[in-house]
Amino acid sequence: MSSHPLAAYGWDEGWADAFAPYAERGLLPGRVVRVDRGLCDVVTEAGTVRADTEFVVPRDPLKVVCTGDWAAVDPEGLDPRYVRELLPRRTAFVRSTSSKRSEGQILAANVDHAVVAMSLAVELDLGRVERFLALAWESGAQPVVVLTKADLVPDPVALSYLVQDVTTTAPGVPVLTVSAREGEGVGDLAALLGQGTTVLLGASGAGKSTLANALVGQDVMDVQATRDMDGKGRHTTTTRNLLLLPGGGVLIDTPGLRGVGLFDAGGGVGQVFTEIEEYARHCRFQDCAHEREPGCAVLAAVDDGDLPVRRLDSYRKLVRENQWIVAKSDARLRADIRQDWKRKRAEGRAAGEAKRGRGEWRPTPPR
């Protein structure tokens, strides 16, 4: 399939097989490179076309047309042209739209790598790194953390400490330092990404547009200066754009993300905190909450200095948040969580009375 006109955009035999029923209808395959207000740009064998998305507007927000989708579009000669169908996605990067709602927002489709850009111009937020990584693992993509603006940390020792902090926070994830303006580290990142589709994620001011320009090899994205007071930037990128990389593969650049809410990312959280999940296997109780239960291997690891308190606090926070989001759309899970809260409150009262000499605390056995 390397000779196919869309091979550079990721077309392969798997996509060809999935598209076969639509080819029989005379439709053309194409990849969505940009979505904008009911219309989208789709790159096809004959070039990029503007297509209407009226026929692919489902009620489920996770099934709307997204940059990176493979689509079946009308053949040439029709005006207007429509996207008639979307091919099933292999992967999807999804976040929660709001902490008060249970809806998800898809940011990119059919991605192989998720690059999390974190600026070294400001203090590193390790908790934010963990959030991004949980969503990236859950999406099915391979996460990569890129510490941008490395030229602002000229001391190699200080830079190595920052890299070590992130490496500890991101087990199993490559961590690279890049100075896009100086061209340092860009080649290593391009080589790591290789073929496939990469989505570039991060907050405003993280240097995503500058990094995208460096990877593409030309100024395809506008760049604006960040504020000196806090290192934050304005939304230079306002849409998600799919760009060809000169060394192979494609890049989806995304707008800066102020909020990174989890959306049904329990598996992703587990992969981010693999060491806690491993300790938890040795807890006395199967449903141990790692708070005050006797025989808790996780708390023992904290006491021994093997597990940082910050990691455990972050793990608890993300687990609770993910449970809350999932429970909003799952009545049975809501009931289980309420029952669990009641049990913990009862245990807390019993433990308090035991300390005051009024009784003996016995934890509720696991269900």
Side-chain angles (χ1 to χ4, degrees):
M1 299 296 291
S2 59
S3 61
H4 193 279
L6 293 175
Y9 287 89
W11 185 260
D12 57 27
E13 292 183 359
W15 291 121
D17 291 341
F19 189 78
Y22 308 119
E24 294 176 357
R25 292 164 50 185
L27 300 176
L28 295 179
R31 193 162 196 192
V32 178
V33 297
R34 177 187 171 101
V35 180
D36 183 28
R37 298 180 181 179
L39 298 172
C40 65
D41 292 336
V42 183
V43 60
T44 70
E45 302 172 21
T48 302
V49 301
R50 192 75 161 160
D52 196 303
T53 62
E54 179 180 350
F55 293 105
V56 283
V57 183
R59 293 183 179 180
D60 186 347
L62 296 182
K63 295 181 180 179
V64 299
V65 180
C66 181
T67 302
D69 271 323
W70 284 96
V73 299
D74 286 330
E76 294 183 73
L78 297 181
D79 187 22
R81 297 174 76 170
Y82 290 91
V83 174
R84 297 292 176 173
E85 302 283 352
L86 295 178
L87 272 62
R89 293 164 178 155
R90 293 177 180 175
T91 62
F93 193 100
V94 180
R95 70 164 178 173
S96 174
T97 56
S98 168
S99 61
K100 298 181 180 180
R101 302 174 65 181
S102 58
E103 294 180 353
Q105 177 191 20
I106 180 169
L107 300 182
N110 300 311
V111 294
D112 302 292
H113 301 94
V115 172
V116 179
M118 301 294 294
S119 172
L120 292 177
V122 294
E123 183 178 356
L124 279 175
D125 185 343
L126 298 179
R128 190 174 180 86
V129 173
E130 289 161 344
R131 283 178 169 275
F132 270 116
L133 293 180
L135 292 175
W137 281 123
E138 193 68 31
S139 75
Q142 166 64 52
V144 179
V145 177
V146 174
L147 304 180
T148 63
K149 307 183 183 182
D151 54 295
L152 299 181
V153 187
D155 183 355
V157 175
L159 183 60
S160 68
Y161 283 138
L162 292 171
V163 172
Q164 182 58 45
D165 286 344
V166 178
T167 300
T168 302
T169 301
V173 176
V175 179
L176 284 72
T177 58
V178 169
S179 173
R181 292 190 182 279
E182 302 295 331
E184 298 176 359
V186 176
D188 293 336
L189 176 59
L192 179 63
L193 300 181
Q195 303 297 314
T197 299
T198 298
V199 61
L200 184 54
L201 305 152
S204 297
K208 298 191 308 302
S209 295
T210 303
L211 181 57
N213 288 339
L215 289 169
V216 175
Q218 55 182 306
D219 293 339
V220 291
M221 305 301 299
D222 292 332
V223 177
Q224 295 180 357
T226 57
R227 299 195 302 244
D228 291 336
M229 69 180 78
D230 55 12
K232 294 182 178 180
R234 289 170 288 179
H235 284 299
T236 303
T237 304
T238 56
T239 59
R240 292 180 282 278
N241 303 278
L242 188 146
L243 311 165
L244 272 178
L245 296 176
V250 294
L251 176 72
I252 299 176
D253 192 17
T254 64
L257 300 175
R258 290 191 177 92
V260 194
L262 299 187
F263 185 79
D264 196 6
V269 172
Q271 286 185 270
V272 175
F273 298 92
T274 54
E275 79 278 32
I276 296 180
E277 297 274 303
E278 181 59 33
Y279 285 129
R281 292 190 179 95
H282 303 284
C283 290
R284 180 184 301 177
F285 301 109
Q286 187 176 4
D287 63 345
C288 183
H290 321 307
E291 292 179 353
R292 56 178 178 272
E293 296 88 345
C296 176
V298 173
L299 295 179
V302 172
D303 292 339
D304 293 341
D306 296 328
L307 176 65
V309 174
R310 190 208 67 79
R311 284 282 283 175
L312 179 56
D313 289 342
S314 183
Y315 173 76
R316 288 168 172 163
K317 182 177 181 180
L318 294 186
V319 167
R320 286 196 300 267
E321 178 181 328
N322 192 67
Q323 286 180 335
W324 180 245
I325 290 294
V326 175
K328 288 180 179 180
S329 58
D330 190 325
R332 181 174 181 179
L333 181 58
R334 284 200 302 272
D336 288 344
I337 291 176
R338 282 197 297 268
Q339 187 65 29
D340 193 48
W341 285 347
K342 290 179 180 178
R343 177 180 64 81
K344 290 178 180 178
R345 283 197 296 268
E347 289 181 357
R349 288 194 296 269
E353 293 180 356
K355 288 182 179 179
R356 292 190 293 269
R358 299 178 181 176
E360 180 181 358
W361 176 50
R362 293 183 178 179
T364 304
R367 295 187 298 274

